[in-house]
Amino acid sequence: MPHLPLTRHAWRAALAVAASLAAACGDPKPPPTPDPPQVQLTVPKSVVAGTSFKAIVNVSGCDSVTSLNLYNGDNLLKSFPYTTGDVTLELLPADFPYPTAGMAAYVSLRAEAVCKDGRKNKSQPQPGTFLPVSRVVAAPANGEQVVTDAFVVDGSSTFASFIGCGVEGTGISVLYKVDANGKETGHKNMPIACTADTVITETNGASSKRWLWTPGVGAFAFDSGLNITGTTPADVKPVMLSVLPDSGDAIVVNTINEVRRVSHMPSATQPTTATVKWFFKGLDELIAPPLALSGDVVKIASMQVAPNTSELLTNVLVRELNANDTPDTGGEIFATRKYALITQSVSDPIPVGAFNSDGTMLYLGRPLANNQSQVLACVANPAGSSQTCEGANNPWTSTALPASLANLYFHPASSRVLAIGNQRVWFLDANNGGLRSKDSRSIDANGALVVQQVLKGSGSVLFFLNAPQRTGSLGTLPAEIVAVDQSSAGEARELFRYQVVSSLGAGVDGEGRVWMRDGSDLVQLLSTSEYRRLRP
């Protein structure tokens, strides 16, 4: 039987079958591309003041890892070997790019892993802050702080000891002493309350004692062995306290603006109510802490008490007291000299003030319109018939500063007057009032923090401790430290800035080195020259 010719549709079907068979017999498809490796980076502690900074990396999805790199943004910081599982990466102080990352160094860390077959991937970024320090005394396993919230330092280096106060669980205020290894070497129950506002003075050379005082509560003198001697009488509640350099007695301003000389009680061997040697009254509002000078001279700057409520004007007065004066039968002494420097309306805001070291100059911070201020330098012991702060008795007046002033601070080592607002600090040349900082800018507390305390370092170096705003009458603890030094041209410049989530405290030792409480740990900072070398 003859074969019938194939139709067009049949040919097409045959060709399709042939093509399918050919494809089935050809080369197989390439396998799918494996997924990139998974790289996880964690930072156990993201804000660190220490001798190194640690991160943990874990890589999955590689038979083996040939390269593990740690980046700050897109910039390589360091390469590490990788084995398996969680691996701890440690960055040393020399690994951080301080000229670009700052001091402390603020970094955004990413880990990149490269597999043996060439696949690679990066982790999600993790923020970190690192301030290099010389030494860390870590808190014990129970989490207790190595030192108290605030403290002062006796000695230096490995012989340093730290003195501060705290409140035990029983509610009793205690004075503590801790050595440079964090070991408690002494404690003593206090006769007054310890608060966030408590202040401890420098050791007095004549008495070898310090004074501890809590504003509005009381004060006492104690020696390096924590032996408490003179304690203020119950009716002496200090709002300001200075120490006479020649004796170690305290000059106390109480809540009713009386000035009293309180003995440190040199012969006492236990807490003893201190002798009040004299009092001085007739003050309205003090505008600067009393300046206690060698030779037992005390200088006081205050507003004049108006003789009656109908007075429209008042004066800024400077008075000199003889601390060795013999009081009258009521225990009162009187000023040996008095100067009226400024006359102003009784309705004007009270200025803030600070004396220079020898009391020859009084610096006054006065408010201006539109939330501005200016600083005046006034001769505080004017000669001749003219006493007012004008002409030769007013060597300079600063330019207007764009903030209200909360305080003034004279720093003799740098010959600077610090005009301190709530959050901003301007450096003024004590000789002419000129602004002496880079581009005449202020050095500011970060965010909503306020300037709480100024610590003197060595030479021209200063440290600002900045804290959250007070809540009612409750004091707050610092959360930021800012170090400031001077350039070769004499301009104030920021050296480092370090902020924590919890709180910190700081004290300066006998060599000018700063020790800092960082949360519960204690650290010794590098010298200022080392920080400047790292951050030119």
Side-chain angles (χ1 to χ4, degrees), residues 461-481:
V461 179
L462 292 167
F463 302 90
F464 301 143
L465 300 184
N466 304 325
Q469 293 271 5
R470 296 177 70 94
T471 303
S473 61
L474 297 177
T476 56
L477 298 175
E480 180 183 53
I481 182 171

Side-chain angles (χ1 to χ4, degrees), residues 269-447:
T269 57
Q270 58 185 1
T272 304
T273 301
T275 301
V276 176
K277 296 185 176 181
W278 49 255
F279 71 89
F280 175 79
K281 63 180 183 179
L283 301 174
D284 192 351
E285 184 87 18
L286 268 75
I287 59 178
L291 179 65
L293 298 168
S294 295
D296 290 315
V297 174
V298 179
K299 301 198 79 165
I300 299 169
S302 70
M303 304 304 297
Q304 182 179 23
V305 176
N308 58 70
T309 56
S310 63
E311 290 288 333
L312 300 179
L313 299 176
T314 186
N315 293 313
V316 174
L317 298 180
V318 171
R319 294 178 174 92
E320 290 186 12
L321 308 180
N322 176 5
N324 280 329
D325 209 348
T326 301
D328 65 12
T329 55
E332 184 177 4
I333 67 168
F334 302 90
T336 57
R337 303 176 73 183
K338 180 174 72 173
Y339 313 102
L341 304 186
I342 299 286
T343 299
Q344 65 178 50
S345 169
V346 294
S347 62
D348 287 343
I350 296 172
V352 295
F355 286 105
N356 66 353
S357 298
D358 61 7
T360 57
M361 199 73 66
L362 175 67
Y363 304 102
L364 294 172
R366 303 183 72 188
L368 302 174
N370 302 318
N371 197 37
Q372 298 186 93
S373 303
Q374 65 180 180
V375 179
L376 289 74
C378 299
V379 175
N381 56 344
S385 58
S386 176
Q387 299 180 357
T388 57
C389 184
E390 57 186 22
N393 291 338
N394 174 212
W396 55 261
T397 298
S398 76
T399 185
L401 304 173
S404 298
L405 296 182
N407 200 4
L408 293 180
Y409 180 91
F410 176 73
H411 186 225
S414 60
S415 191
R416 296 290 181 262
V417 178
L418 276 58
I420 305 173
N422 281 333
Q423 296 184 287
R424 310 178 66 181
V425 181
W426 288 269
F427 286 71
L428 306 178
D429 192 320
N431 297 307
N432 54 36
L435 288 168
R436 298 306 309 272
S437 56
K438 185 177 180 180
D439 300 326
S440 299
R441 293 179 299 187
S442 60
I443 293 178
D444 302 344
N446 191 39

Side-chain angles (χ1 to χ4, degrees), residues 61-97:
C62 285
D63 289 337
S64 64
V65 175
T66 59
S67 175
L68 179 63
N69 301 315
L70 195 60
Y71 288 83
N72 172 32
D74 296 325
N75 300 311
L76 177 65
L77 290 180
K78 195 172 184 179
S79 297
F80 296 89
Y82 182 81
T83 52
T84 184
D86 289 342
V87 173
T88 298
L89 312 180
E90 186 173 24
L91 290 171
L92 300 178
D95 297 325
F96 286 86

